[in-house]
Amino acid sequence: MTHEDTTHEPHAGAEPVMEMLSEHIPLSLIMDMVSPDGPRSEELLVAEGLPDEEWWKQG
């Protein structure tokens, strides 16, 4: 990812994120990639626990 001046297109950065979300990449992983200083998804998992439904086991 590059940092570009998007002042004239306020939603220009949303398209790659929406594409990743449509491919079922977890939002927490996307946040780890764009904000490496934290909070880390590993820490969030420990604090919040696993979800009741295992969404990653589709089918």
Side-chain angles (χ1 to χ4, degrees):
M1 285 187 197
T2 60
H3 291 57
E4 298 176 11
D5 181 9
T6 58
T7 54
H8 294 88
E9 299 176 46
H11 299 290
E15 188 173 320
V17 173
M18 294 307 292
E19 184 177 333
M20 286 187 269
L21 289 172
S22 73
E23 293 294 327
H24 306 287
I25 296 174
L27 181 57
S28 59
L29 177 57
I30 296 170
M31 293 303 297
D32 283 349
M33 293 187 309
V34 299
S35 182
D37 293 333
R40 297 190 43 82
S41 58
E42 296 164 342
E43 295 167 1
L44 294 172
L45 177 60
V46 170
E48 296 175 3
L50 291 172
D52 294 333
E53 189 174 318
E54 295 178 337
W55 56 266
W56 56 91
K57 292 184 179 178
Q58 300 176 2

